[in-house]
Amino acid sequence: MWADPARRVVDRLRRREIAPAEVIDSALDRIEAVDPLVNAVPTRCVERARAMARDLARDLAATTTTATSPEDPAWLAGLPVLIKDLNDVAGVRTTYGSPLFANHVPNADDLVVRALAARGATLLGKTNTPEFGAGAHTFNEVFGATRNPWNTARSAGGSSGGSAAALASGMAWLAHGNDLGGSLRIPAAFCGVVGLRPSPGRVPHSDRLTPFSPLNVDGPMARDVADLALLLDAMAVHARADPLSFPTPPGTFQAAAAAPTRPARLAFSMDLGLSPVDGRVRAVLEDAVKRLEAAGFEIEDATPELSDAVPCFQILRAHWFATRLGPLLAERRAEMKPELVWNIELGLALSAEEIAWAERARARLVADSAAFFETYDLLLTPTTVVPPFPLGQRAVEEVEGHKLATYIDWLVLTFAITLTGCPALSLPAGQTPEGLPVGLQAVGRPRGEAALIAAAAALEEALEARLERPIEPRVAEPDDAQAAPSQLGAPEVAPPSAVTTPPVKSLERRLREGLEQMPAAFALWGEDDRLIIDNAAHRRLFGDVGSLFRPGVSFREVLVGLLDRGIHQPEPGQEREDWIADRLAARHNGDLRREWQMPDGHWLRIQETRTPGGMTVTLGLDITDLKGKERELIQERDVSETASQAKSQFLARMSHELRTPLNAIIGFSEVVRGQLLGPIGNDIYLGYADDIWASGHHLLELISDILDLSKIEAGTFTIHPQPLGLGDLLEASVPFVRARAKARGQVMSLEVHPRLPRVLIDRRAAKQILLNLLSNAIKFTPQGGRIWIRLIRRDADVVLSVKDNGIGMSQEDVARALEPFGQIGGGESWLTPNTEGTGLGLTIVDALVGMHGARLEIDSAPGEGTDVRVVFPPPTQASR
């Protein structure tokens, strides 16, 4: 009988095929046979159970046997149930797992015990728990350690480890537990059974010290989902003594379990972005996901935003312990286990600011999770980050090479869900190669237990991993390292010395809060290349693969994940391991900046900077919009350059085509002016010939300038710079324009400083620069004006200055003069012979100066004159 499902035994009890006393005897026989090997049920209340069974049998004699409502005493019909030793049972030794209460016997049942008794449960015994439920490994100084039935040298989990081990080994059909950070789910995972953390208020909770806290809840444990639903129906009572309690909706949870429902949208996260996961657990969960997908479940990689969960839970949990046990610490500190002392002291040291931050953080987690479940019906994760660990360890200290700071860090996948207020259960997902159970955590919508149970029943069918019948304990001889923790005494290093103190925790929390406000992605990697901290923007930046970045993950693991998901690819012909080695080497050799495009099309820019202490800081941005604008600019530039080159080529062709007729016209005008074919006889015609000759030369000069400018714009104007002395070139060029200046009555002075360095310049371009500047000075200097030409040294530079006291220009006119055809004043057409120059002189000078790495400076004022300077750098700078 002890091996049958609870619902089958209850059905037989309801039909009176068996009596409650027979069922109690079956359970006691099994406990006597098995518990010495497992140590799960240290306290039994046989006489109380028998008395309850007799009273119940008498009450049921006059009733029907259908029990259609959980409120009916026939709902459990006398089935024995085990109660965790944290809950009061009247007249039964209740120790809370602490030597301080080793002989404590309460006078009254608590709320959940009362509810179970009212619905037909007989309370057969108390199951083992850690001291005051602190920790997820069940051992204490009163009763010792509870062993895992699958391997008695391994932990049964906690803090409801006694209940889970009793179920797995057949000592109970149904068992009670409670859950703060995973105490129902973790032992269920370790022992291959099912445990449900209901929504706060679903099951009444007796709590005189923290009645409004949603952290700690009572809940059911069973061998499969259907039996779990049977017990939840018996527990879910609206109790006025619990301020969080709420009425139970119509229908039963057992009916939900009997109608397995496949969720429409399932999300899965291997680590919730919070922790490394043991490779053995990861392998079982990956296989479970594949089996679910093969069964037709549609599963997406997704997780709610939970990045603040660790500091938030640490603060709220410490505050909870300090509230409940702070006064006891002052009186009995030496009798408490060190982990418990640390937790209470941590809570007592918290500031109001830290508690306020944690409450705000929890509010954000609740809101973000509610929004997440608007999209998804169910969230799946591993229940634990490790499989059952050796019995002699007080807690998990390391996961995949990542050292854990506190004895509760390894509970992160369950305590993060606690903060959301959502119901969550653990059911078997499979086993490691050593035969140790691994649990799958399923999280539902707030107060959505019925839907969660219906979905869990469907998952259970698909996975075929339910515990069909209890197992015989698999006895393994523990070595010294696996001895019970209570036999090992206190840890060599007490947890407080290994854990960040509250002030530093406050700084860490402030740092994290500040990082979350950064628009840029941020990550900090330790000297061992493992992730220490990052912000949500960093995980969002990587989209669907953001889940790769979890605290403690190595950069190598991230690279492997990026390769597996096709984000990166080795170079053609390059081996995968060689690519990883090159990437790691580049990271360690100093600062690194990379850009790449993700498969979904968006672009990332990542900057990695090595700190003096050997850590690495990663900053990242989404540059998709920037890349789009860059492409637009490139396209516009290409179009512009193509148009400019076409224009320049057209002008060059036209210039060549115009030269021939112009030369013919100029030649004909020279024949007429010189009367080479005989006297003209009319001075008017000679005047016309002079005008034609002048206009022809003007147009020829214009065409030459246009040709030069078009070549510059098209990039076909070639120069051959060489070290030249500008003094010699200047003295050779001045005579070409001196006659024009003299004809206008202008005085031209030349000053060349001795021992000037040579400059790097093309000879032809240099002469063109000089002649254009001199011609402009003559053009804009009135009759009798002065022009000063100086070649001097300014520091290492050589400066050519052409200054006049001519008409001058405003700053607006200076800018216009540098534009093609930028004639100023007068408004005459550039085709008229009376206009000196082409309007392209300064434009060409500016272009030629820039081609040589020099710069053009112009100072001018209307009515005062103009000073144009060309500043040539030394040859070594000009050539850069």
Side-chain angles (χ1 to χ4, degrees):
M1 190 188 307
W2 56 265
D4 289 339
R7 55 195 180 278
R8 184 180 303 166
V9 177
V10 167
D11 183 63
R12 295 181 66 193
L13 283 166
R14 290 173 184 170
R15 296 176 184 277
R16 300 192 182 97
E17 294 177 7
I18 51 175
E22 296 177 67
V23 183
I24 290 172
D25 289 341
S26 176
L28 286 173
D29 288 345
R30 183 64 177 172
I31 291 172
E32 294 295 334
V34 171
D35 200 49
L37 302 174
V38 179
N39 191 32
V41 191
T43 300
R44 294 136 207 186
C45 43
V46 180
E47 291 309 314
R48 173 182 167 128
R50 294 193 188 281
M52 289 180 71
R54 286 193 298 269
D55 292 343
L56 183 62
R58 184 183 62 248
D59 294 341
L60 293 179
T63 65
T64 65
T65 58
T66 55
T68 56
S69 168
E71 297 176 4
D72 193 320
W75 185 255
L76 293 179
L79 185 77
V81 175
L82 297 177
I83 303 296
K84 185 175 176 180
D85 199 24
L86 289 182
N87 292 63
D88 286 350
V89 177
V92 178
R93 182 188 186 193
T94 301
T95 71
Y96 315 123
S98 171
L100 278 64
F101 291 87
N103 298 307
H104 170 63
V105 178
N107 295 320
D109 293 337
D110 80 355
L111 291 177
V112 71
V113 173
R114 219 176 298 165
L116 287 170
R119 296 186 174 191
T122 57
L123 309 179
L124 186 57
K126 306 295 295 292
T127 59
N128 205 15
T129 179
E131 186 173 0
F132 294 110
H137 182 16
T138 300
F139 67 91
N140 57 57
E141 297 296 328
V142 183
F143 298 120
T146 296
R147 294 168 172 80
N148 193 318
W150 295 87
N151 181 327
T152 58
R154 298 280 169 164
S155 168
S159 62
S160 305
S163 292
L167 287 167
S169 57
M171 289 185 274
W173 293 272
L174 300 174
H176 155 272
N178 31 48
D179 189 305
L180 183 77
S183 291
L184 279 158
R185 293 160 285 168
I186 292 169
F190 273 22
C191 294
V193 296
V194 185
L196 167 70
R197 175 192 168 87
S199 305
R202 173 67 70 197
V203 174
H205 181 65
S206 294
D207 192 337
R208 295 184 299 274
L209 298 174
T210 53
F212 288 95
S213 173
L215 289 179
N216 195 25
V217 300
D218 290 273
M221 303 185 80
R223 297 176 198 156
D224 61 22
V225 173
D227 279 359
L228 181 94
L230 176 71
L231 182 56
L232 180 60
D233 278 321
M235 286 181 163
V237 176
H238 183 208
R240 292 185 179 89
D242 178 0
L244 299 184
S245 180
F246 57 87
T248 301
T252 66
F253 299 111
Q254 193 173 28
T261 304
R262 182 174 298 173
R265 295 199 68 183
L266 257 173
F268 174 76
S269 175
M270 185 63 77
D271 51 29
L272 296 178
L274 298 174
S275 172
V277 175
D278 187 286
R280 293 165 293 176
V281 172
R282 185 179 291 272
V284 172
L285 266 293
E286 287 172 348
D287 177 67
V289 169
K290 289 177 183 176
R291 283 185 284 148
L292 291 174
E293 289 176 332
F297 287 82
E298 294 184 8
I299 302 176
E300 301 176 31
D301 286 330
T303 183
E305 172 52 50
L306 297 169
S307 56
D308 284 334
V310 174
C312 176
F313 183 76
Q314 289 275 22
I315 290 170
L316 294 177
R317 182 179 186 273
H319 180 239
W320 186 84
F321 268 109
T323 302
R324 299 175 64 82
L325 300 176
L328 202 58
L329 178 71
E331 302 172 4
R332 312 287 291 272
R333 175 193 176 98
E335 299 169 74
M336 293 180 172
K337 71 177 182 178
E339 293 90 345
L340 189 61
V341 172
W342 167 76
N343 246 136
I344 299 169
E345 290 183 337
L346 183 64
L348 294 173
L350 290 171
S351 67
E353 179 188 5
E354 288 172 313
I355 296 170
W357 175 87
E359 290 290 357
R360 292 193 298 271
R362 174 163 55 182
R364 288 193 299 271
L365 292 173
V366 169
D368 289 343
S369 297
F372 180 84
F373 283 111
E374 290 295 320
T375 301
Y376 297 99
D377 300 301
L378 207 65
L379 169 64
L380 303 180
T381 77
T383 307
T384 61
V385 297
V386 295
F389 53 86
L391 193 68
Q393 287 183 217
R394 296 180 73 92
V396 177
E397 300 171 353
E398 179 179 308
V399 181
E400 292 290 302
H402 177 67
K403 299 289 186 182
L404 303 183
T406 79
Y407 79 108
I408 60 171
D409 280 8
W410 70 278
L411 321 182
V412 64
L413 298 183
T414 49
F415 72 57
I417 300 303
T418 290
L419 294 171
T420 69
C422 295
L425 61 77
S426 177
L427 70 159
Q431 295 180 349
T432 68
E434 302 88 358
L436 297 173
V438 173
L440 172 68
Q441 179 175 222
V443 186
R445 294 187 171 112
R447 298 192 177 182
E449 281 82 359
L452 174 60
I453 286 172
L459 294 170
E460 189 178 58
E461 281 186 356
L463 291 173
E464 297 180 347
R466 67 161 62 91
L467 186 63
E468 295 292 349
R469 56 179 289 113
I471 65 168
E472 296 296 333
R474 299 172 183 176
V475 178
E477 291 297 329
D479 56 26
D480 291 340
Q482 294 173 327
S486 57
Q487 297 169 342
L488 297 177
E492 292 183 12
V493 180
S497 65
V499 180
T500 310
T501 58
V504 178
K505 274 287 184 187
S506 177
L507 289 175
E508 178 185 331
R509 188 258 305 157
R510 291 175 184 175
L511 171 64
R512 183 179 290 277
E513 192 171 41
L515 292 177
E516 292 302 337
Q517 301 305 312
M518 290 178 58
F522 173 90
L524 177 65
W525 304 78
E527 298 93 329
D528 58 355
D529 256 353
R530 291 186 177 275
L531 183 62
I532 297 174
I533 189 173
D534 70 340
N535 60 3
H538 181 248
R539 296 186 292 279
R540 286 195 301 270
L541 184 66
F542 286 84
D544 293 340
V545 297
S547 60
L548 289 173
F549 298 93
R550 58 190 185 277
V553 69
S554 70
F555 189 68
R556 180 186 177 84
E557 289 177 275
V558 171
L559 292 178
V560 171
L562 293 175
L563 285 172
D564 290 343
R565 290 161 173 80
I567 306 301
H568 289 317
Q569 294 293 335
E571 297 295 327
Q574 186 180 32
E575 294 295 329
R576 179 185 172 104
E577 284 300 318
D578 291 341
W579 182 88
I580 292 174
D582 290 347
R583 180 67 181 85
L584 290 172
R587 177 183 174 88
H588 296 157
N589 286 339
D591 294 354
L592 183 67
R593 175 172 168 173
R594 302 180 67 244
E595 294 179 359
W596 72 85
Q597 189 173 23
M598 299 286 282
D600 62 3
H602 75 274
W603 280 85
L604 310 186
R605 174 179 292 162
I606 301 295
Q607 173 76 43
E608 293 178 351
T609 304
R610 202 76 169 171
T611 70
M615 295 193 293
T616 301
V617 175
T618 299
L619 294 175
L621 287 173
D622 186 324
I623 58 170
T624 306
D625 291 343
L626 184 63
K627 283 290 185 181
K629 289 182 174 63
E630 185 179 284
R631 285 193 301 272
E632 291 174 5
L633 290 173
I634 290 172
Q635 291 170 355
E636 291 175 3
R637 183 199 65 191
D638 292 343
V639 170
S640 176
E641 288 182 352
T642 301
S644 177
Q645 289 176 357
K647 178 197 73 175
S648 299
Q649 291 168 0
F650 171 76
L651 289 174
R653 288 195 301 271
M654 289 298 295
S655 298
H656 281 295
E657 292 174 4
L658 289 171
R659 280 175 182 270
T660 300
L662 270 177
N663 282 325
I665 292 170
I666 292 170
F668 177 74
S669 65
E670 287 178 345
V671 169
V672 174
R673 290 176 68 204
Q675 302 183 62
L676 299 179
L677 299 178
I680 298 299
N682 191 329
D683 290 341
I684 294 176
Y685 292 113
L686 290 175
Y688 288 160
D690 288 340
D691 288 343
I692 292 170
W693 184 88
S695 295
H697 275 283
H698 177 76
L699 285 173
L700 191 60
E701 182 183 355
L702 175 64
I703 289 169
S704 296
D705 284 350
I706 289 175
L707 181 60
D708 287 342
L709 187 61
S710 65
K711 286 181 178 179
I712 292 171
E713 289 182 344
T716 59
F717 189 97
T718 57
I719 58 174
H720 303 283
Q722 55 183 308
L724 296 176
L726 285 181
D728 296 337
L729 285 173
L730 184 59
E731 291 176 353
S733 301
V734 168
F736 284 99
V737 295
R738 191 183 292 276
R740 287 173 55 197
K742 187 175 181 180
R744 296 169 65 94
Q746 298 166 342
V747 178
M748 183 178 289
S749 61
L750 176 63
E751 177 187 351
V752 178
H753 281 208
R755 294 185 299 279
L756 289 174
R758 292 174 175 268
V759 299
L760 200 62
I761 193 168
D762 178 88
R763 179 181 294 275
R764 182 169 62 90
K767 290 181 68 175
Q768 192 165 357
I769 291 170
L770 292 171
L771 291 174
N772 277 347
L773 291 180
L774 294 172
S775 296
N776 269 354
I778 293 169
K779 172 183 176 182
F780 293 106
T781 301
Q783 190 82 16
R786 295 205 59 175
I787 299 171
W788 294 269
I789 309 165
R790 302 176 69 216
L791 195 60
I792 61 173
R793 186 165 185 166
R794 184 201 295 169
D795 298 327
D797 299 331
V798 174
V799 181
L800 166 67
S801 169
V802 178
K803 182 178 179 181
D804 63 64
N805 62 351
I807 61 175
M809 298 179 286
S810 67
Q811 289 302 310
E812 183 181 26
D813 286 338
V814 169
R816 189 181 301 124
L818 290 171
E819 298 173 0
F821 309 110
Q823 297 276 6
I824 59 172
E828 295 178 323
S829 168
W830 51 269
L831 287 173
T832 61
N834 294 326
T835 301
E836 297 185 49
T838 65
L840 295 173
L842 272 181
T843 305
I844 293 175
V845 167
D846 189 37
L848 292 174
V849 166
M851 291 174 70
H852 288 84
R855 67 180 185 275
L856 190 66
E857 301 175 348
I858 302 177
D859 292 329
S860 188
E864 297 181 11
T866 302
D867 183 5
V868 181
R869 297 178 300 279
V870 181
V871 183
F872 294 95
T876 54
Q877 293 184 17
S879 60
R880 287 178 185 170

